[in-house]
Structures are given as structure tokens and as C-alpha cells.
Amino acid sequence: MVVLKYTIMKKLFLALFAAMLPTMISAQELTVTYQVVYNTSSPNLFAEAGLSEEMRSNLAAAYKDVVMTYRLKLKGNESEFRIVPGEGKQEITFMGQKIDVNAASLAQAQNYTYKNHADGIALEKTQMFGKSFIVSDSIKSEAYSKIENEKKNILGFECTKAISADGKTTVWYTSGIPVKDEPIACGLDGLVLQFDNGQQIFTATEILDTVDTEIIRPSGEKPITREEFTNFVNKRVEMMKRN
């Protein structure tokens, strides 16, 4: 009888433990894959491209069925976030021309954002106007308001809704994965599994508790500040407009 009770209790414990697994993951190592679609109804999509409203609207419509992939890797105090090139072709038609967005993502995969949470810094490796940059910034957390009574389930995790102070970004995060500032710095007590920044909608499709590659701090260029990078881009854009 004692053995029988022990067996029953053991089975109940294992069942309870298994049920709790989807609600809590250690954040020592983490790989999260996000599927990304374009918010083609948003007037902000491609607004910074400097196109007429008609051309912007046509370009946004061309991205209606485009799906991209991004991946977050976190190991200890370091993380990286970058696009994952798609396989095959994924074409759009704009101004009579066919454009393979997967081919473009292959070049973008060399760019990524690195964070070191111990040092409180973020380094963005990027290319602009044929030049390579490492843009250095501190990890800043924007103010987000939690909507405690709005929940949704993503990959088995209960997520809470939060909205940025300017109302432009909506996120769904889970406290079941105790990671802050990933993949965007919103200072909430958990990992963001979905967010809409007004142009793209990121949704987590896979979470692994391992990382298959080393996280490498960007190097090769002298880091510049965000302000210096913004000034460089603005000057080049003005030069292009004048010419």
C-alpha cells in the first residue's frame, strides 16, 4: 500500500512538473525565432523612404504577403538580434520591377544588434551608403504601460499586453521567461514574444534553451555615437536631395 501511494504521488509530481515547464524557462541561454510580417495598413510603413504617398502606399501593398525571420540569441549577459535570410525567392513587384526580398535579407544578415547587459551597452553593426559602422548606445528602457487585464497565449506562455508611452508600439510579454530589454528595450519583467512597432509585427514561433553559436561583439570599426551616425545619414540624404 505504501509503495502504491508513493508511485501515485510520484506520477502526480511528474505530471505537475511537466505542466509547469511551458510557464518558466531559465534565461542563461536562449534562442528565440520570430516570424515577421509587414503592417501594410499602417501609414508609417516606409514613411521614412521619402516617397510620395501614392508610391509609399504601392510599396506597402507589395509587401502584403512577405514573411521574414529574425532570431534572438542570448547567453549570460550578452545577446544578439539579427535577420535570418530566407531560402529560395520571395519576390515583390514595385514600379514594374520584380525584387527578391530574400536576396536583400542575405546582405542585411551581416548587420545585427549586440547587447552587453553587464556593461549596459548596445552596439549596432550596420552599413549605410557603402560604409560600415558600429553605432554605440546605452541600453535604455522606454516607458511602457501594462494592460493587466489583457492576456494572450503564445507558444504556451501567458503574455500580458503593454503599450509604449507614445502609443506607437504594442508588445505582448511573458514573465515566464525572466529576460528584460529583449528584443526591444521596454524594461518589462519578461521576454517580449510579440510586438507591433507600427511597421512590422514580430511573433515568436520557436523558443530553445540553447545557443548553437558564440555571441560575438562587433569589431573592425571605431564605434560612433547614435547622434554621430544620425548626423552622417542626414547630411548624406541632404546631399542626395541637392544633387
Side-chain angles (χ1 to χ4, degrees):
M1 180 66 70
V2 174
V3 174
L4 180 59
K5 287 183 177 180
Y6 172 79
T7 302
I8 293 173
M9 291 298 294
K10 183 179 180 181
K11 288 182 177 180
L12 288 172
F13 173 79
L14 291 175
L16 180 61
F17 179 74
M20 291 173 63
L21 282 177
T23 66
M24 179 65 72
I25 285 183
S26 169
Q28 292 301 309
E29 288 193 14
L30 206 62
T31 301
V32 187
T33 301
Y34 293 85
Q35 186 180 79
V36 184
V37 296
Y38 288 80
N39 189 350
T40 56
S41 63
S42 170
N44 297 321
L45 183 58
F46 305 128
E48 73 283 356
L51 303 173
S52 68
E53 176 53 28
E54 182 181 3
M55 291 180 68
R56 187 210 65 80
S57 180
N58 289 339
L59 181 59
Y63 272 79
K64 178 174 65 71
D65 298 319
V66 170
V67 179
M68 309 297 285
T69 301
Y70 278 72
R71 189 160 289 141
L72 167 69
K73 294 184 179 181
L74 184 142
K75 197 170 186 178
N77 290 315
E78 296 179 294
S79 71
E80 69 170 44
F81 186 60
R82 70 171 80 205
I83 195 169
V84 179
E87 297 180 357
K89 286 187 176 183
Q90 189 172 193
E91 293 184 331
I92 65 168
T93 301
F94 179 61
M95 296 181 65
Q97 301 293 320
K98 286 190 178 295
I99 303 169
D100 183 2
V101 294
N102 282 354
S105 70
L106 184 61
Q108 295 174 22
Q110 305 304 312
N111 304 331
Y112 66 101
T113 299
Y114 163 91
K115 290 181 181 178
N116 188 308
H117 291 271
D119 296 337
I121 63 168
L123 299 175
E124 180 184 340
K125 185 174 183 180
T126 187
Q127 294 188 13
M128 188 69 67
F129 301 111
K131 294 186 65 175
S132 296
F133 297 90
I134 296 176
V135 184
S136 178
D137 207 347
S138 60
I139 299 177
K140 306 183 187 75
S141 295
E142 296 183 23
Y144 275 72
S145 299
K146 301 178 186 179
I147 314 297
E148 295 287 0
N149 62 342
E150 291 196 43
K151 310 284 186 180
K152 79 160 59 171
N153 186 289
I154 301 175
L155 296 178
F157 293 90
E158 182 182 82
C159 297
T160 302
K161 185 178 181 179
I163 301 176
S164 62
D166 60 11
K168 294 180 179 180
T169 303
T170 299
V171 306
W172 293 87
Y173 73 97
T174 176
S175 57
I177 305 177
V179 174
K180 289 188 176 182
D181 296 336
E182 301 297 350
I184 57 175
C186 50
L188 298 166
D189 56 346
L191 180 71
V192 173
L193 296 187
Q194 185 178 78
F195 67 95
D196 180 351
N197 60 15
Q199 298 199 47
Q200 296 169 299
I201 302 170
F202 292 68
T203 304
T205 56
E206 182 183 57
I207 302 174
L208 303 175
D209 59 358
T210 58
V211 174
D212 59 3
T213 58
E214 290 298 316
I215 294 175
I216 301 174
R217 184 176 179 132
S219 61
E221 309 292 339
K222 181 181 178 181
I224 63 174
T225 65
R226 175 67 59 185
E227 183 180 3
E228 290 172 330
F229 178 71
T230 301
N231 288 340
F232 168 81
V233 172
N234 288 341
K235 287 179 181 178
R236 284 299 180 97
V237 170
E238 286 302 317
M239 288 174 62
M240 293 173 65
K241 287 181 178 178
R242 287 198 300 268
N243 293 331

